[in-house]
Amino acid sequence: MSRTRAVVTGVAALAVVAAIGACSNSATEQSPSASASSAAPAQSSAAAPAAAHNQADMMFAHMMIPHHQQAVEMSDMILAKQGIDPRVIDLANQIKAAQGPEVTKMQGWLQQWGMQMSGMPASPGMGGMPGMDDMPGMQGMMSPADMQALRSAQGVEASRLFLTQMIEHHRGAITMAQNEIKNGQSPDAIALAKSIETSQQKEIDTMNQILSSL
């Protein structure tokens, strides 16, 4: 299985940051002096919701949405096959049940934050927004060749490949979540990142146990 690149060019990284910065003027935290100002209390109150997130939060949601969508797509692939280990089927259903609603939640945040959702690829790695696969933070994403390999595999081979790919996929998600926990501002986004870090590490442990017995 080929591994996707974890390091991208500075040009691509700058392009993403610039795009996100253009989507919202509320990427910086409100300073204590600003919040303490009594010159325009109504204005401060109105600005509070917008100040509850920063660029790290927007990057986290923007990157995690297609990341989750690909995990759901991989789960759908394995669930459509015959001869798959029952433990793998249970895991795929678990991933879909958890990550599907999280995608909807993050899409709602981006809408609230004024970040455009048009151009988000329905199937990451299979076409869509130019350069999406190379955007910073997209660790663990499967390449088109990886996805085709999973689509073509059958039986025990498919079970093994799904688990191996999903372990890498989850590790990438954990890295993204840890970055959000460290740099994010939105309490809701940070809480989701902590949940992803914990739940996906447990799933990695489970997948390693299944792999060892296939």
Side-chain angles (χ1 to χ4, degrees):
M1 179 192 72
S2 63
R3 296 177 60 91
T4 53
R5 292 171 294 175
V7 179
V8 297
T9 64
V11 174
L14 289 173
V16 176
V17 173
I20 290 180
C23 292
S24 173
N25 292 324
S26 60
T28 56
E29 297 186 35
Q30 208 174 26
S31 66
S33 60
S35 60
S37 174
S38 58
Q43 182 178 0
S44 297
S45 176
H53 68 282
N54 60 13
Q55 286 191 5
D57 298 318
M58 290 190 290
M59 178 73 79
F60 169 70
H62 187 63
M63 297 298 129
M64 193 63 79
I65 287 170
H67 202 274
H68 271 22
Q69 287 172 334
Q70 189 180 65
V72 171
E73 182 180 0
M74 292 165 68
S75 298
D76 283 336
M77 284 185 192
I78 203 71
L79 289 171
K81 297 178 184 295
Q82 300 295 322
I84 302 302
D85 189 287
R87 296 169 297 174
V88 176
I89 293 175
D90 288 343
L91 180 67
N93 281 318
Q94 179 179 315
I95 290 170
K96 286 187 63 177
Q99 298 195 23
E102 288 175 354
V103 166
T104 301
K105 180 184 295 186
M106 289 184 286
Q107 287 173 334
W109 293 342
L110 291 184
Q111 185 175 13
Q112 292 171 14
W113 298 339
M115 191 170 182
Q116 294 294 328
M117 288 300 299
S118 60
M120 292 291 288
S123 178
M126 305 297 285
M129 187 173 176
M132 173 60 73
D133 293 343
D134 292 333
M135 282 186 175
M138 297 288 279
Q139 293 94 334
M141 290 289 285
M142 295 297 105
S143 69
D146 294 330
M147 297 295 279
Q148 184 56 49
L150 180 59
R151 187 176 288 107
S152 301
Q154 299 297 327
V156 176
E157 178 192 356
S159 294
R160 287 199 186 102
L161 186 57
F162 173 80
L163 293 172
T164 303
Q165 289 182 341
M166 194 62 76
I167 287 171
E168 180 181 354
H169 206 269
H170 274 26
R171 285 173 177 163
I174 290 173
T175 298
M176 294 161 65
Q178 290 171 338
N179 183 70
E180 167 62 15
I181 294 167
K182 178 181 178 181
N183 299 312
Q185 180 183 0
S186 165
D188 289 340
I190 293 172
L192 177 59
K194 289 179 178 178
S195 175
I196 288 172
E197 180 184 32
T198 300
S199 64
Q200 296 205 16
Q201 182 57 58
K202 288 181 180 178
E203 288 176 351
I204 287 174
D205 294 341
T206 297
M207 288 187 283
N208 277 320
Q209 290 173 359
I210 298 173
L211 265 177
S212 67
S213 62
L214 282 178

